[in-house]
């Protein structure tokens, strides 16, 4: 077996190689002067099982993945497993308006072309797994995030919207503290409103948990509300940290004390590793 990483998921690729005790495939990955991607596999992977690791964000990484899959297929691998630490486009999981694509399905179908199995971490909605034409499994980095938060003596976990409530409950069970959720109304891609709600958080260390932080708008609104209600410290944690369009500044100026994310999208806040939950699901489902 070989583990083969694209350029988007270096730490997870290396961690998986260590955890599964399988070698990294040697590759040449580069970009032509016009920015088109080039891949060449240097090891003989014919008749081997290959695990490709690549986050599909931003868009250029989707093309990388498709070309890596094609190279692995051409080299005659006997089984191709694709690990998508973050599955970009998963939020467009249905047609919200007439005339739109089902983007998650479109990307999933293309990835399925040269894949025997898919593994992804904390998908935005579980039903996106059905968009792949091959068996697809999810795993959750939430327990790893909970371990990190436990060390920080968090005494209240908050979901910024109902969609994240299960995640908040799971973390509160692990670190043994209270949890609650807020009601979020999304106005557009960058604007959200949080309905006021009284929480028992006076002088408490609160962690807000979500699957994705993108523009930081959701977190900034929730942080301000918690500080207004007297929280002593507010940390925020997510699995997938996109941090686009000045998100970091927005979150820090809202009064955030610590930003935490996993390494499904590598960034300066990747303090929690996603590889343990991925290797667990690989070991359970692949043999
Ligand atoms: C939405 O349902 C997700 O769970 C996140 O709450 C959302 O993607 C966060 O986006 P932003 O950081 O732009 O507010």
């Amino acid at each position: 077996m070989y583990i083969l990483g694209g350029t988007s998921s270096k730490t997870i690729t290396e961690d998986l190689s260590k955890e599964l005790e399988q070698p990294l495939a040697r590759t040449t990955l580069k970009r032509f002067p016009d920015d088109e991607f080039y891949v060449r596999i240097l090891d003989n992977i014919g008749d081997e099982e290959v695990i490709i690791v690549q986050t599909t964000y931003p868009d250029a990484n989707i093309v990388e993945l498709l070309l890596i899959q094609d190279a692995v297929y051409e080299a005659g691998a006997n089984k191709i497993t694709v690990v998508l630490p973050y599955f970009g486009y998963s939020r467009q999981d249905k047609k919200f308006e007439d005339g739109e694509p089902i983007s998650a399905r479109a990307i999933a179908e293309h990835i399925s072309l040269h894949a025997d199995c898919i593994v992804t971490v904390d998908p935005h909605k579980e039903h996106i797994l059905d968009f792949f034409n091959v068996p697809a499994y999810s795993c959750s980095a939430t327990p790893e995030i909970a371990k990190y938060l436990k060390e920080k003596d968090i005494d209240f976990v908050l979901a910024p919207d109902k969609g994240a409530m299960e995640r908040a409950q799971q973390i509160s069970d692990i670190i043994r503290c209270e949890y609650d959720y807020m009601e979020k109304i999304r106005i557009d891609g960058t604007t959200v409103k949080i309905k006021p709600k009284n929480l028992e958080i006076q002088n408490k260390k609160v962690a807000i948990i979500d699957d994705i932080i993108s523009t930081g708008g959701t977190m900034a609104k929730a942080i301000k509300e918690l500080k207004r209600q007297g929280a002593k410290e507010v940390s925020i944690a997510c699995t997938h940290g996109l941090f686009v369009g000045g998100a970091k500044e927005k979150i820090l100026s809202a009064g955030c004390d610590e930003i935490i994310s996993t390494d499904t999208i590598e960034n300066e806040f990747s303090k929690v590793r996603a590889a343990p939950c991925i290797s667990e699901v690989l070991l359970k489902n692949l043999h």
Side-chain angles (χ1 to χ4, degrees):
M1 180 191 281
Y2 280 97
I3 316 291
L4 196 165
T7 61
S8 70
S9 307
K10 295 196 183 92
T11 55
I12 295 182
T13 304
E14 279 162 23
D15 285 355
L16 284 179
S17 164
K18 285 184 202 131
E19 297 219 4
L20 300 172
E21 297 179 347
Q22 300 297 334
L24 293 169
R26 290 174 308 125
T27 52
T28 300
L29 306 175
K30 64 178 186 186
R31 294 224 165 240
F32 289 110
D34 60 1
D35 216 31
E36 286 186 351
F37 180 67
Y38 170 89
V39 55
R40 183 169 170 228
I41 299 163
L42 304 172
D43 288 305
N44 179 5
I45 58 164
D47 282 331
E48 296 278 352
E49 183 170 343
V50 178
I51 297 178
I52 302 172
V53 189
Q54 174 81 332
T55 268
T56 56
Y57 172 86
D59 287 1
N61 287 330
I62 300 173
V63 176
E64 257 194 39
L65 173 61
L66 297 179
L67 299 188
I68 292 170
Q69 285 180 266
D70 199 73
V72 171
Y73 171 77
E74 279 296 321
N78 72 15
K79 182 170 185 187
I80 305 175
T81 294
V82 176
V83 173
L84 305 167
Y86 171 60
F87 178 43
Y89 285 97
S90 58
R91 284 176 291 177
Q92 181 80 19
D93 61 338
K94 62 178 181 187
K95 268 193 269 186
F96 294 89
E97 307 271 2
D98 282 346
E100 292 178 348
I102 301 174
S103 309
R105 186 187 62 192
I107 306 294
E109 286 180 349
H110 284 87
I111 294 171
S112 300
L113 178 64
H114 291 312
D116 297 294
C117 175
I118 308 287
V119 173
T120 190
V121 184
D122 285 330
H124 184 58
K125 300 255 173 66
E126 284 289 319
H127 78 92
I128 59 101
L129 297 177
D130 299 334
F131 292 149
F132 293 93
N133 298 325
V134 292
Y137 304 93
S138 69
C139 58
S140 179
T142 303
E144 294 297 316
I145 294 174
K147 270 191 221 161
Y148 184 94
L149 293 176
K150 197 169 185 182
E151 296 296 310
K152 301 275 168 176
D153 296 324
I154 295 295
D155 30 40
F156 196 101
V157 181
L158 183 83
D161 56 32
K162 263 193 179 162
M165 197 171 75
E166 216 177 289
R167 212 175 295 276
Q169 184 179 11
Q170 204 185 341
I171 292 188
S172 76
D173 283 349
I174 295 172
I175 67 181
R176 296 185 183 285
C177 70
E178 295 166 82
Y179 78 96
D180 207 333
Y181 71 96
M182 281 179 159
E183 298 238 20
K184 177 174 91 177
I185 304 148
R186 181 163 287 285
I187 314 291
D188 58 38
T190 51
T191 326
V192 295
K193 262 191 181 170
I194 298 260
K195 261 200 192 168
K197 175 177 184 180
N198 287 332
L199 299 157
E200 301 284 315
I201 48 138
Q202 193 87 29
N203 285 322
K204 289 188 178 165
K205 287 172 89 171
V206 186
I208 315 173
I209 176 85
D210 209 346
D211 59 338
I212 299 170
I213 297 176
S214 180
T215 66
T218 301
M219 285 298 189
K221 282 270 159 53
I223 295 161
K224 279 186 194 153
E225 181 58 19
L226 291 175
K227 288 270 165 136
R228 191 187 67 78
Q229 291 194 31
K232 183 166 69 180
E233 272 179 35
V234 180
S235 307
I236 62 166
C238 67
T239 302
H240 311 297
L242 281 82
F243 301 109
V244 299
K248 174 182 167 185
E249 292 66 31
K250 199 185 290 174
I251 289 164
L252 293 177
S253 64
C256 182
D257 295 284
E258 184 175 1
I259 305 174
I260 303 142
S261 96
T262 77
D263 51 4
T264 58
I265 299 165
E266 292 171 6
N267 63 67
E268 64 180 295
F269 309 111
S270 295
K271 301 169 184 176
V272 175
R273 302 207 152 204
C277 75
I278 299 171
S279 59
E280 203 177 303
V281 76
L282 286 171
L283 290 170
K284 208 188 292 172
N285 292 298
L286 298 188
H287 298 292

